[in-house]
Every structure is written in structure tokens, then in C-alpha cells.
Amino acid sequence: MNRISYLVASAVVVASLTGCVVEAPRHPYYVSSVVRVAPPPPQVEIVSAPPAYGHIWIDGAWYWESGRHVWHPGYWSAPRPGYYWVPHRWEHEGSGWQFHEGHWDRH
């Protein structure tokens, strides 16, 4: 391989690496003001057996996306030593509703 071919090949590799995509979190953080539309009741989910001993079920929740409520299903999660899961919740505030995303908190 001559020097020019090597430089071109190297440039292609570098350019392709700069386009790497980092996967977003499964549940993106909710950033918004109060929503005027109350969330629907939680959907009933069939919870299968955990994939491994000690896993905990994270309940699904309604998220506000593109001007409407969208259900994000629950899932199993490995435990985090020293932490406990604080569930997602909607709170009535003034004339609307505010979503508080679930998160891991220290014991």
C-alpha cells in the first residue's frame, strides 16, 4: 500500500469513527413544565420471571412526549448495592401535572 492510499484509508477510518452514536438512556430524562393533561391510569403489565436472582421490576410509566402521554413499559433491572429504586410518579400541581422520573437513591 503506498503512502497516499494509506493516508486516504486512515482518513476514512477516522471520519467513520467521528460519526459514532452513543445510545440514549432507555428512559430519557423528562424536562418540562407542568402538563395540563392528567396521565391515564397505569397500564396493566404482565411481569415475567426475573432474568436473574435479585433483579427488581421497574414499573412502566406514562411520559409526556410530543404533546401526548406515551406509555413506556416496565423492565427488569439488576440491583444496585447501597441503593433503592424510587418509582416514577405524577403529582398534581396547581392547574396541571408534573412528572417525576424514577431513579436510584442511596439507602
Side-chain angles (χ1 to χ4, degrees), residues 38-60:
Q43 290 191 0
V44 175
E45 296 184 296
I46 297 173
V47 181
S48 61
Y53 178 78
H55 276 58
I56 66 162
W57 178 255
I58 306 293
D59 286 330

Side-chain angles (χ1 to χ4, degrees), residues 35-42 61-64 69 89-92 96-99:
V35 173
R36 296 199 184 276
V37 181
W62 291 105
Y63 284 73
W64 185 255
H69 289 287
R89 70 185 190 286
W90 282 93
E91 290 183 355
H92 191 244
W97 295 85
Q98 177 70 47
F99 181 67

Side-chain angles (χ1 to χ4, degrees), residues 20-101:
C20 290
V21 176
V22 177
E23 183 178 357
R26 180 177 173 141
H27 296 293
Y29 290 102
Y30 183 81
V31 179
S32 180
S33 58
V34 174
V35 173
R36 296 199 184 276
V37 181
Q43 290 191 0
V44 175
E45 296 184 296
I46 297 173
V47 181
S48 61
Y53 178 78
H55 276 58
I56 66 162
W57 178 255
I58 306 293
D59 286 330
W62 291 105
Y63 284 73
W64 185 255
E65 296 176 358
S66 302
R68 66 187 180 98
H69 289 287
V70 176
W71 180 256
H72 287 229
Y75 58 95
W76 287 104
S77 178
R80 297 186 181 179
Y83 290 81
Y84 67 97
W85 176 253
V86 178
H88 312 289
R89 70 185 190 286
W90 282 93
E91 290 183 355
H92 191 244
E93 295 183 7
S95 62
W97 295 85
Q98 177 70 47
F99 181 67
H100 299 276
E101 178 140 22

